[in-house]
Amino acid sequence: TNDGTVTFELGVDTLKSRGWHIAMRSELGESSWNSAQAGKGSLTVTGAYPVHNSSTLEILPDKNGYPEVRGGSVRTRGALLLSGPDGLVVIGNMSVGVDDAGMWVGRYGLGPAESGPAFLELHNIFIEFDPELLRLRLIGELTVTEALASRLSRPDTVGMMVGTVAVDAGVVPA
């Protein structure tokens, strides 16, 4: 995968109710705040991160033309900053990909094997792949993993849904 963006949208009301404050920064700028409209919905923060050229996600259409992810990740540069009662947690250089067990996860660090712990799990994933345009679009809901809950000293947040992620990226033919 190459060119494109990974966009995280996180529910600020949910995070603030748990004592967290959030900011996102990338080459594309600071996070943007989306206010609730007429008392409907919740306040969200959105951060867009450029897809880094070291991304390794392997996608092939199956026999029916549906995208099949073989492994790897879509990598970004930037940071998600969470501050809470126990201080600041910086989640830098995030990636979205498939772990060894086949679970979609968000990780941090651009190590050679995406060695950082999974800080978010992706659920209810929708994947669209256009083989003619060589474009991938992925949308999923984000939940907190045990690793992130531990770093934030909030074990009660494991499995809590905190937002969504959308990947829109070009795919390099194998």
Side-chain angles (χ1 to χ4, degrees), residues 7-10 12 24 30-34 44-49:
T7 304
F8 291 87
E9 183 172 77
L10 302 174
V12 176
M24 292 187 249
E30 301 269 335
S31 51
S32 64
W33 297 85
N34 305 309
T44 61
V45 61
T46 302
Y49 299 85

Side-chain angles (χ1 to χ4, degrees), residues 51-162:
V51 171
H52 192 264
N53 62 7
S54 65
S55 296
T56 60
L57 196 65
E58 296 177 33
I59 305 156
L60 294 170
D62 67 12
K63 64 181 180 180
N64 298 315
Y66 295 105
E68 182 176 277
V69 176
R70 301 276 173 103
S73 66
V74 177
R75 298 175 176 184
T76 69
R77 288 221 188 260
L80 171 65
L81 310 167
L82 295 166
S83 63
D86 294 332
L88 180 68
V89 174
V90 178
I91 300 171
N93 298 329
M94 297 176 286
S95 65
V96 174
V98 178
D99 67 11
D100 292 338
M103 172 65 83
W104 280 91
V105 295
R107 294 188 184 280
Y108 58 94
L110 283 177
E114 288 93 19
S115 56
F119 63 95
L120 296 167
E121 287 184 353
L122 281 68
H123 299 275
N124 300 320
I125 299 164
F126 170 78
I127 301 174
E128 180 179 65
F129 176 63
D130 186 326
E132 291 180 21
L133 296 177
L134 294 176
R135 295 296 297 175
L136 167 75
R137 181 150 170 82
L138 177 145
I139 299 171
E141 295 176 344
L142 300 169
T143 60
V144 175
T145 65
E146 195 171 318
L148 178 57
S150 175
R151 285 201 58 197
L152 295 170
S153 300
R154 294 300 306 256
D156 60 313
T157 61
V158 173
M160 182 176 78
M161 206 262 234
V162 293

Side-chain angles (χ1 to χ4, degrees), residues 25-45:
R25 296 191 175 102
S26 77
E27 296 168 14
L28 300 177
E30 301 269 335
S31 51
S32 64
W33 297 85
N34 305 309
S35 299
Q37 296 179 349
K40 298 177 183 174
S42 64
L43 182 66
T44 61
V45 61

